[in-house]
Amino acid sequence: MSKDTTTTKDDTAAPTEEGNTAPRHELVYFALRNRKLVIGLSIVGLLGLAAIVAPFSARSNPDAFVGPPMQPPSSSYLLGTTYFGQDVYSQLVNGLRQSFLVGIMGGGIAFVVATAVGFTAGYRGGAVDEVLNMLTNVLLVIPTLALLIIVGGYLKGTSIVFEAMFVGATAWPWAARAIRAQTLSLVSRDFVGLARLSGVRSWRIVVGEVAPNMSSYLFLTFILLFGNAILISASYDFLGFGPPGGVSLGSMMNLAFAWNALQLHIWWWFVPPGVAIMGIVGGLYVTNVGLDEVFNPKLRSL
Amino acid sequence: MRRYFARKLLTYFLTFFVAVTLDWGIPRLMPGDPIAGLLSKFQLQPSSYAVLHSSYTRAFNLGEPLWRQYLDFWRALLHGSLGTSIYAYPDPVTTVIRHAVVFTLALLLPATVLSYLAGNKVGAIAARRKLLDDTVLPFSYVLTATPYQWLALLLAFVLASVAHVFPISGGFSYSLVPTLSWAFLWSLLTHWFLPFVTLFLVGFGGWAIGMRNLIIYELDADYAHFLESLGAPRRLVRKYAYKNARLPQLTGLALSLGTIVGGAVVTEIVFNYPGIGWLVLQAINSEDFFLLQGIFLFIIVGVLLANFVVDVVYVLVDPRTRIGLQEGTR
Amino acid sequence: MHKHVKRMTAAVLAASLAAPALAIGGAGASSHATTSFPRSQTLYTSGTAYSPPTNWNPLSIGAYATGTIGLLYEPLFLYDPTTNKTVPWLATSGSWTSPTSFDIKLRSNVTWSDGRPFTAADVAYTVGLAKSSPTVPYANLGQYIADVEQVGRYEVVVNFAKPAYTQWQNFLYGNNATPMLPKHIWSKLPASAVATFANPHPVGTGPMLLDEANAQEVAYKTSTHWWATKDLGLKLEFNYLVDIVNGSNNVELGQVLQGNIDLSNNFLPGISKLVGGISSSYGLQTYYAKAPYMLSANTVWLEPNISKAPMNNVNFRKALAYAVDSKQIASVVYSNIVQPANPTGLLPNLTSYIDRSVVAKSGYSYNTAKAKALLKASGYKGRTITLEVPNGWTDWMAAAQVIVGDLKAVGISARATFPVYNTRVADLTNGTYDLALDNNAGPSTTPWAYYDRVYQLPIQQKQTAQLNWERVNDPASWALVQELGTTPPTSTATLQSVYSQLERRTLQTMPVIPLWYNGAWAQYNTTYWTNWPSAAPTSNHYTPVMWAGWLGQDTTILALAALKPAK
């Protein structure tokens, strides 16, 4: 699946200016009107809320053996029980929380690295740009999951933080390239030239002039990185390399698969985590598109 | 054009060099002694252990200083040898990989190409018909947000475990010995189908959305409005929009190869399909770093080749690049 | 897209679909191999092989393909754990004629699959390797053997330098029994390759011949020259045996349910739910019709690293024993296809050796109050200890979580970790772990092997033989174990008193904590073959397991010979 479905065009075309300079209230007006944005944000918001609040209400320990094994969903066990007799609903909401955490941390780290690399390459140009570009291209080619498997398979007892760091460290290249392209086109503009002439320091220019003009784009990029981090960590956990002891959406699928949920027809064990991931990531993508439409009036047509 | 390709090739060689170094280095930096791992399968008396350990270490060239091992690795690589595997000792790594690669290629090539083509077509149509847009678009969003392993689990559950329409695992039926026979080919096909559908569906969603958005963007460009104002039929305008939209999509294809490989890995595991992805997991479980190195290298070379193919296609498809490069701009 | 790009794409796609057939088709098939196995004449098995079959050397323990010992190579005697008796196989009898000499009489009509006769020369050669080759798995026997004489064509006398009853017994009977090798082939090998060469064209005395091997499976064809048909009236009713390399649990369960596998020795979570209720529709059977469903295969120990604190404190180890609820593990993790272990840890086939008074006096059971008291007495300061279990061993991973929960409940700060298999073996070998689960204590003919494993001295820096991984330094108990080696098997009273002492000392010092018996996983699909082993009085009670150490050494081959086609 392509992560930058809505932004591939930006590699070869200039960004629009209107969205960034439109008055605030106009943005909000369109935002509220945009169905995709509203739906997407609602789904993500709901799941996020569940991740924060629900673990307090559900049975506190998702690993506790609470009932008879392999029970289908019922009034006493909303999503049924696992092979071991654990509460699937409790595992789901705790897993949501862990997945959100890894997603935000991993996405955040990737965002920081991508902006640092992208801005530097785009603003500085020249040799620095060549080197960073080469580095980015090299890392783009190496398949993330294969690398994750090799490193993860060797290290003992990983933690959530380590997983997030690793996911973040491998997810940034495409975003860096996109940010670089944007930066390049902005840098050639007059206001940047003026700032340079007035002797403003480079990083000030980047932070003060370039970034605000790309703010919508940066925001969209972060959303995509966040969604991507969740998907990667779900695959990582599915392969069994995730942190032991915790519950995540990927680890639920891993256990369900390992304990024959397919043959024993314990579908309520692996279907909910997948639906949750689809909800979060899908919601994020839809939010992304909606926001894109809000910022870029050209897209509002259809 | 020559400069364009020269640049690309330079990038690829550099990537290859870095990748090979990383590939050689990472397993060696990891904790664990692979010979001890191999020998742990045998429960040996200390005297036998010492003898076997030293002979295997010599056989695998692990006693040498690191820099010499690195050079030897390059030398062997240029001779086409990737060493001996531990997982399937004493088969050479190239043999083990060779059997698995065909399965993965049979899965990846059709799935990627077909989902790309189908996704583009459907996305383009959706961009101009509101009805289709309202149904296809949400469906595509759902597909592209679906984790590969989950879709694989779902398909395996519904179509194989419950309905018994397709086999649930393997590359081919256990009762058949690999030969060029219709029965065997049919067995290959039925085992291939569900993994293929998994990869196809997820990919399709992404491409459809991408193309749809690009077309809309193009339809709003100046040239499109200009053509319309001249009275050109809508179909003509759309044709040009489609041609322009193809280019960023191709770039996107190259960028997403890494993700597709990752998707193939988890899909193969769910279906126990004996491709490269499944082999990676076996290699890790046996702590066979020679096999891991070899697989990783294959994946990287494969992705580089695919990138190169996409670059060539890009040039063929985009007349501007050809002309621009011939004039030597940039 | 351009027309020729389209055409090229189509061509590439078509080629890629046919590629697997072309690539494997040429490579895998050999000249005499069959192209497909007729279902009604084939026995499909799984659950033994985890990597592709590439080695048929019976000395390459842990690396040889399924069926190497049992279908191709055979030992002198078989061992029946359900009756605790030995079955003469390639030998017709074996006995101690003096404290230092053992006489073996061999069968006279056994031939190797290349036509050469099996004689005393082969036996003498195989036993002699203990002295001449340091790489064979039984090389430690070499120090005890003085020489091996051939007395005529079918009789061998092994002369010992000093009495070594238990070591010799370990070589002849039980799961470590060594098969006989063809001297005319093995003596031609360079000395270093004897234990490791792949042996791709195996020549054995057994009932089957190697037919075909590829990454997914190994296939054997029934031989018409098996000696047991004439001597014992045994015949394999199937023409082919295909053993499948394992994917994952759910894959194997699916195969069993669909009738594609006849005998599965995999651990299949949920099998107890499918046997008994739905069994009639799936045609599934296990050895016992209800809990524990499976025969017991080995003892799972909670193994503390005694060279490290706080595991070096005997009260701490006892607290561990009282803290863990094995019954809960058996029911929650295993759905009762395993049983909690006897406190001595000895497997059910050795029940007659267990001294009940010792167990009554010093035995332990699940008791959190006692665990807390013992913990207090040990002076435990609260250091977090880790329990290591190999990544991917799903049942142990789940059991480890239960154990850690039990330990936390009595106040021990514990955490489970799941390193890759080889890392975990390295940690145990090097003594850097805290707690681990270990199930190397497999079936044996007497309790000697069990205590030999527990108390083996001296402790090396790297315990590569996988004995005494817990690093207990108890010379008095080790002396008792060695006494077993020098006491003739006929002095049963002396032997039993030594066993009682060992049982008592083990319960009082708790170097290892037996938790449960892992099962000899065996699920049969009765659609194509019937007359499988079971506990019912009308069935045979042979072992239904194809694993290394069982197929050729226990009575599995008898079980296979007893199978009949289903009507």
Side-chain angles (χ1 to χ4, degrees), chain B residues 99-123:
Chain B
H99 289 140
V101 146
V102 271
F103 281 101
T104 301
L105 281 179
L107 207 54
L108 277 183
L109 282 179
T112 312
V113 173
L114 288 175
S115 67
Y116 182 73
L117 293 176
N120 280 352
K121 259 271 136 27
V122 174

Side-chain angles (χ1 to χ4, degrees), chain A residues 164-189:
Chain A
M165 276 191 343
F166 204 70
V167 167
T170 48
W172 61 267
W174 70 267
R177 249 175 75 156
I179 293 180
R180 168 186 173 273
Q182 291 283 54
T183 312
L184 272 178
S185 60
L186 278 177
V187 152
S188 57
R189 302 269 191 81

Side-chain angles (χ1 to χ4, degrees), chain B residues 239-262:
Chain B
K239 199 173 113 180
Y240 281 115
Y242 186 75
K243 283 194 171 166
N244 280 328
R246 275 189 316 197
L247 300 178
Q249 277 288 73
L250 268 177
T251 315
L253 176 61
L255 288 178
S256 64
L257 285 170
T259 321
I260 295 178
V261 168

Side-chain angles (χ1 to χ4, degrees), chain A residues 6 134 149 262 270 274 289 302, chain B residues 14 133 141 144 150 161 213 284:
Chain A
T6 55
M134 213 45 101
I149 291 177
L262 285 178
F270 62 87
V289 170
L302 203 64
Chain B
L14 206 66
D133 193 44
Y141 272 118
T144 198
W150 188 77
S161 179
N213 289 337
I284 296 204

Side-chain angles (χ1 to χ4, degrees), chain A residues 63 65 69-70 83-85 152-157 239-241 244-246 254-265, chain C residues 248-250 253-254 257 267-270 273-274 328 332-335 388 391 394-395 398 401-402 416 418-420 423 427:
Chain A
D63 290 328
F65 306 113
M70 303 191 253
Y83 172 85
F84 304 106
Y154 276 104
L155 295 173
K156 230 190 332 175
L239 293 170
F241 298 125
N254 174 28
L255 283 175
F257 180 65
W259 289 87
N260 287 342
L262 285 178
Q263 270 76 9
L264 297 172
H265 297 189
Chain C
S248 43
N249 285 335
N250 75 85
L253 180 56
L257 291 178
F267 168 60
L268 297 177
K273 303 276 181 289
L274 297 168
Q328 193 192 28
V332 166
V333 176
Y334 289 96
S335 299
E388 283 191 25
N391 196 322
T394 45
D395 52 330
Q401 303 281 30
V402 176
F418 308 122
V420 231
T423 308
D427 288 343

